[in-house]
């Protein structure tokens, strides 16, 4: 099907990074308040978030989509009434940090929409370009890739598989940090980002409808943790480029190993389950 009507479609949103919101971000990640409240990289993910009315939410918790000019994203009727949506990847460029009190404007533009046939069926990829300004100055440019796919069958195997007999090899990395993201962290991150996707807080829905083994850790949450790992080694707001891609779901209550090492072009980062299954691939440069 043709998506010509959606290419180039824009959405402009506004926000203010209040001191309260900044404090809640730091509290969520057990971070100390930064000097002069210059916020760490990743805070843009919690700004200019979707504010659709509750009545306008779909069954999965995302804002419902249709074919009208008011819908920023298409409905993808080829996937039926309940397609699954995933945040597949982001490519981020940092230009300037954002401070508490900043007035923020984000312009989002649909750059491309494509369909592919994967091993698990049809997929639709949407690339959305975001430009975030703080007090009129460019702060972040990000290209975000969303993936839509058919709803899972009621008998589909739960994803990801149960942890296997393998082990994570920490010796291959320069820096490692092991955490266990639990439902409280997921709930707080959903609140910070106004994310109502039910896979992050509704375990019966996540398991029976979308066929995940448990509550799913947000891809941007894992990315935020990797940005904090980089900051602990390189200093706050040191990165100029950061890209991440989801490889496999991370499940709440299970060990997650955050890693970083030097690479030819900068730094390689990632997240791994306890059995060595890779969850996230990422790269960064100064």
């Amino acid at each position: 099907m043709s998506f010509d009507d959606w290419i180039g479609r824009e959405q402009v949103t506004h926000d203010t990074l209040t001191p309260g919101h900044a404090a809640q971000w730091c509290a969520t990640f057990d971070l100390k308040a930064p000097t002069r409240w210059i916020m760490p990289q990743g805070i843009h993910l919690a700004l200019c978030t979707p504010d659709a009315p509750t009545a306008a939410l779909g069954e999965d918790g995302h804002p419902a989509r249709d074919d009208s000019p008011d819908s920023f994203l298409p409905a993808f009727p080829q996937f039926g009434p309940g397609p699954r949506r995933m945040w597949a990847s982001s490519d981020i460029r940092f230009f300037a940090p954002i401070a508490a009190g900043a007035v923020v404007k984000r312009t989002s533009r649909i750059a491309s929409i494509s369909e592919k046939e994967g091993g698990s069926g049809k997929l639709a990829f949407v690339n959305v370009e975001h430009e975030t300004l703080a007090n009129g100055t460019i702060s972040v440019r990000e290209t975000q890739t969303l993936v839509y796919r058919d709803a899972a069958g009621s008998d589909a195997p739960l994803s990801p598989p149960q942890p296997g007999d393998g082990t994570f090899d920490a010796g291959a990395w320069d820096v490692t940090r092991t955490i266990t993201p639990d439902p409280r962290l997921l709930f707080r991150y959903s609140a910070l980002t106004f994310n109502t996707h039910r896979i992050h807080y509704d375990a019966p829905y996540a398991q029976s409808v979308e066929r995940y083994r448990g509550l799913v850790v947000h891809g941007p949450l894992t990315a935020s943790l990797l940005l904090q790992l980089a900051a602990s080694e390189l200093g706050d707001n040191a990165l100029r480029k950061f890209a991440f891609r989801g490889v496999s779901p991370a499940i709440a209550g299970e060990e997650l190993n955050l890693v970083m090492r030097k690479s030819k072009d900068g730094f390689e980062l990632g997240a791994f389950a306890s059995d060595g299954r890779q969850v996230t691939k990422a790269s960064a440069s100064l």
Side-chain angles (χ1 to χ4, degrees):
M1 61 182 299
S2 174
F3 296 103
D4 292 347
D5 290 344
W6 270 270
I7 305 304
R9 191 169 294 196
E10 288 191 350
Q11 182 181 69
V12 179
T13 51
H14 301 270
D15 205 345
T16 299
L17 177 54
T18 67
H21 199 177
Q24 289 167 0
W25 175 274
C26 294
T28 295
F29 293 106
D30 296 315
L31 300 174
K32 294 182 180 179
T35 303
R36 294 177 293 140
W37 284 100
I38 304 298
M39 295 300 292
Q41 290 174 331
I43 186 64
H44 75 283
L45 296 168
L47 298 171
C48 298
T49 55
D51 57 359
T54 301
L57 299 179
E59 183 64 21
D60 63 357
H62 282 301
R65 305 173 309 278
D66 57 36
D67 293 329
S68 73
D70 295 330
S71 182
F72 180 61
L73 293 164
F76 297 110
Q78 66 270 38
F79 297 126
R84 285 180 288 173
R85 168 179 164 168
M86 293 164 285
W87 186 320
S89 64
S90 278
D91 191 325
I92 304 171
R93 300 291 186 270
F94 295 108
F95 295 92
I98 303 175
V103 175
V104 179
K105 174 185 177 182
R106 187 175 79 171
T107 302
S108 303
R109 176 183 175 275
I110 295 181
S112 66
I113 301 176
S114 60
E115 293 182 286
K116 297 181 181 179
E117 189 80 27
S120 57
K122 293 181 179 180
L123 303 169
F125 293 85
V126 182
N127 286 329
V128 184
E129 297 173 344
H130 301 288
E131 183 176 77
T132 300
L133 279 66
N135 292 333
T137 299
I138 180 66
S139 177
V140 181
R141 284 199 180 103
E142 175 181 9
T143 298
Q144 179 188 120
T145 301
L146 306 175
V147 178
Y148 293 85
R149 60 188 300 182
D150 286 321
S154 59
D155 59 347
L158 295 175
S159 176
Q162 289 287 345
D165 296 330
T167 57
F168 164 68
D169 181 14
W173 299 87
D174 299 333
V175 183
T176 63
R177 178 190 175 201
T178 300
I179 67 167
T180 302
D182 66 19
R184 295 169 297 176
L185 176 61
L186 270 62
F187 174 84
R188 281 191 155 191
Y189 194 80
S190 288
L192 282 171
T193 57
F194 210 56
N195 184 342
T196 46
H197 194 183
R198 292 170 65 180
I199 64 172
H200 304 305
Y201 60 86
D202 186 341
Y205 170 87
Q207 293 171 333
S208 64
V209 178
E210 300 217 18
R211 302 301 291 165
Y212 290 108
R213 191 158 45 76
L215 295 177
V216 179
V217 180
H218 316 61
L221 170 54
T222 302
S224 298
L225 292 167
L226 289 173
L227 283 168
Q228 291 162 28
L229 181 69
S232 70
E233 298 297 312
L234 306 172
D236 291 335
N237 290 289
L239 299 182
R240 290 295 168 263
K241 297 180 181 180
F242 178 76
F244 71 92
R245 177 170 63 88
V247 178
S248 178
I251 300 299
E254 298 183 1
E255 179 181 293
L256 190 63
N257 297 282
L258 308 171
V259 299
M260 184 174 77
R261 63 188 174 196
K262 291 182 180 179
S263 67
K264 179 181 178 181
D265 299 320
F267 300 91
E268 181 183 357
L269 300 96
F272 292 82
S274 61
D275 61 356
R277 171 178 56 88
Q278 187 155 24
V279 170
T280 305
K281 290 186 176 182
S283 62
S285 61
L286 301 175

